[in-house]
Amino acid sequence: MASVLYPRETIITIERHILEEQKFHPEATGVLTSLLYDIALVGKYIANKTTRASFADILGTTKDINVQGEQVMKLDELADHTIYKLNEHTGRIAVMASEEQADIIQIPDKYPTGKYVLLYDPLDGSSNIDVNAPIGTIFSIHRRKSESGPGTLSDCLQPGHNMVVGGYIIYGSSTMMVYTSGKGTHGFTLDPYLGEFLLTHPNIKIPEKPKYYSVNQGYQKYWSEGIKRFTNYLQGLEGDNKPLSSRYIGSLVADFHRNLLSGGIFYYPPDTKDPKLPTGKLRLLYEAAPLSFVCEQAGGYASNGKQRILDIVPESLHQRVPLYIGNRELVEKAEEYIRKFG
Ligand code: AHG
Ligand code: MN
Ligand code: MN
């Protein structure tokens, strides 16, 4: 007789988990719960497209250059449009902003606005799309500050410590959604046959002993003295620590995710490579802030080298920041080197 596999553990879908978390918020109306479930649907939808990208003629570039001055990939555009279309009509959102769009994204007049603000990097790691390396979607949710009607730019320009939910979806060898609503960081793996995200990584804690450092070391000649010496430290060339292994995919979500589970630090420091980008290329609202919330809730820390990322008050939608994120002790070491050597 064919053997039957019985699950050993309780099976918790993301929907169930979100509902359970809602119990911590007696004032909750269920809107946030539904919004998070919409994001999980975004993940399923984009995962479905990315896995078939080669067949569906959606690899490669569009002819457009985005607001960041970067080449737009077909999947960037598809992911951006998908997130918009899944959220514009639900009545849960006041306003959105995307890494791919110059201005805030308003809800069409024919639909009601809601109380939340959704910020997203629709597809992170675009340069990896055509070579089948992991990519991701990063999102954050804030409460609107404006009272009612169309959301505003200042609804979007809130410091990370106001965030209600931060998270990402990684499209790798499996698809995972990782999020925090301020009660720990939790990871769910998409079972493609069930079409459900199931809780596989409850209450993630970044391991105390770091294993990896992740940085684009090809740009070393453009770094400051402090960054160079901090990197020496990670390599065991100064100080008394053993060298860490180096890992760099060039997909923030994937690099961050690996270090979250294995321990380590990711950094994208300022460099002099491009005078237009003196603070490095990562974006505060769409990349740095949401991952910082996830990281802190897993016991880690994130800084721009001088201050906590979650305390930075954004001045513009597409503002860029240096990012040092991972084990607290290593991020604080980076701050120390920057303080001493610049
Ligand atoms: P995006 O694809 O959303 O524009 O982000 C790309 C980012 C990030 O994912 C990654 O960490 C970084 O670019 C890699 O940049 P370098 O190639 O300069 O190392
Ligand atoms: Mn990105
Ligand atoms: Mn992107």
Side-chain angles (χ1 to χ4, degrees):
M1 200 173 93
S3 70
V4 180
L5 288 178
Y6 293 100
R8 277 168 301 157
E9 319 245 344
T10 311
I11 299 175
I12 301 175
T13 64
I14 199 163
E15 188 178 16
R16 184 77 242 150
H17 191 266
I18 296 168
L19 281 167
E20 291 294 325
E21 288 229 314
Q22 192 182 314
K23 289 188 189 154
F24 291 115
H25 303 277
E27 75 292 354
T29 56
V31 175
L32 181 65
T33 304
S34 307
L35 172 51
L36 262 173
Y37 199 63
D38 294 339
I39 306 279
L41 186 57
V42 161
K44 291 181 205 173
Y45 196 96
I46 298 176
N48 184 285
K49 296 289 178 209
T50 50
T51 45
R52 298 173 200 206
S54 290
F55 312 123
D57 190 29
I58 42 178
L59 287 181
T61 59
T62 65
K63 297 206 166 51
D64 299 331
I65 299 293
N66 70 8
V67 56
Q68 321 282 344
E70 295 159 354
Q71 176 72 58
V72 179
M73 309 294 288
K74 288 183 189 169
L75 272 173
D76 277 325
E77 202 171 77
L78 180 83
D80 188 44
H81 191 65
T82 302
I83 298 175
Y84 171 70
K85 278 292 172 195
L86 280 170
N87 288 286
E88 49 141 15
H89 61 280
T90 60
R92 309 192 228 281
I93 307 272
V95 62
M96 297 183 250
S98 159
E99 182 197 270
E100 295 295 333
Q101 314 248 354
D103 297 315
I104 57 172
I105 309 166
Q106 293 292 4
I107 302 301
D109 287 343
K110 61 181 170 179
Y111 300 123
T113 52
K115 58 181 172 184
Y116 291 105
V117 178
L118 177 64
L119 307 174
Y120 55 91
D121 175 355
L123 217 55
D124 173 69
S126 311
S127 66
N128 283 318
I129 292 174
D130 286 358
V131 296
N132 204 4
I135 46 182
T137 297
I138 312 175
F139 62 92
S140 66
I141 300 170
H142 285 263
R143 272 187 204 89
R144 71 182 301 168
K145 284 164 64 195
S146 53
E147 290 289 316
S148 56
T152 62
L153 178 61
S154 65
D155 286 328
C156 298
L157 298 183
Q158 299 191 54
H161 59 233
N162 285 358
M163 209 182 298
V164 180
V165 177
Y168 60 87
I169 300 150
I170 175 168
Y171 313 103
S173 48
S174 59
T175 299
M176 276 189 74
M177 176 159 159
V178 176
Y179 84 90
T180 180
S181 63
K183 292 256 177 297
T185 288
H186 309 285
F188 302 79
T189 305
L190 180 64
D191 182 325
Y193 298 103
L194 296 178
E196 287 281 3
F197 279 102
L198 304 179
L199 180 64
T200 47
H201 297 65
N203 211 11
I204 298 172
K205 290 291 168 212
I206 187 161
E208 252 168 59
K209 200 169 162 335
K211 212 166 164 185
Y212 300 121
Y213 78 95
S214 310
V215 67
N216 190 337
Q217 213 152 348
Y219 301 151
Q220 185 153 354
K221 81 177 222 188
Y222 303 110
W223 293 347
S224 68
E225 179 66 12
I227 312 296
K228 284 182 186 157
R229 292 191 61 162
F230 172 60
T231 308
N232 287 345
Y233 167 85
L234 296 172
Q235 295 173 310
L237 297 173
E238 56 180 274
D240 52 6
N241 62 319
K242 280 208 193 131
L244 297 179
S245 273
S246 159
R247 292 278 191 284
Y248 191 74
I249 297 170
S251 245
L252 172 62
V253 166
D255 281 308
F256 171 76
H257 183 72
R258 182 197 51 245
N259 294 357
L260 178 73
L261 297 186
S262 303
I265 182 169
F266 170 95
Y267 51 113
Y268 204 111
D271 60 48
T272 56
K273 180 167 53 74
D274 179 350
K276 290 196 296 302
L277 297 179
T279 53
K281 74 188 277 199
L282 297 178
R283 284 129 299 209
L284 173 61
L285 288 177
Y286 314 112
E287 295 169 320
L291 297 189
S292 298
F293 192 24
V294 168
C295 185
E296 287 201 4
Q297 284 291 316
Y301 175 53
S303 164
N304 67 356
K306 295 186 174 129
Q307 79 174 117
R308 182 182 178 225
I309 292 282
L310 292 178
D311 287 339
I312 300 175
V313 181
E315 287 165 11
S316 61
L317 268 187
H318 299 287
Q319 181 174 340
R320 314 226 186 200
V321 278
L323 177 64
Y324 305 80
I325 188 167
N327 283 75
R328 174 170 283 276
E329 159 198 325
L330 291 181
V331 176
E332 286 178 348
K333 192 56 113 177
E335 290 180 326
E336 186 186 316
Y337 270 93
I338 290 163
R339 228 176 6 251
K340 277 196 197 150
F341 304 107

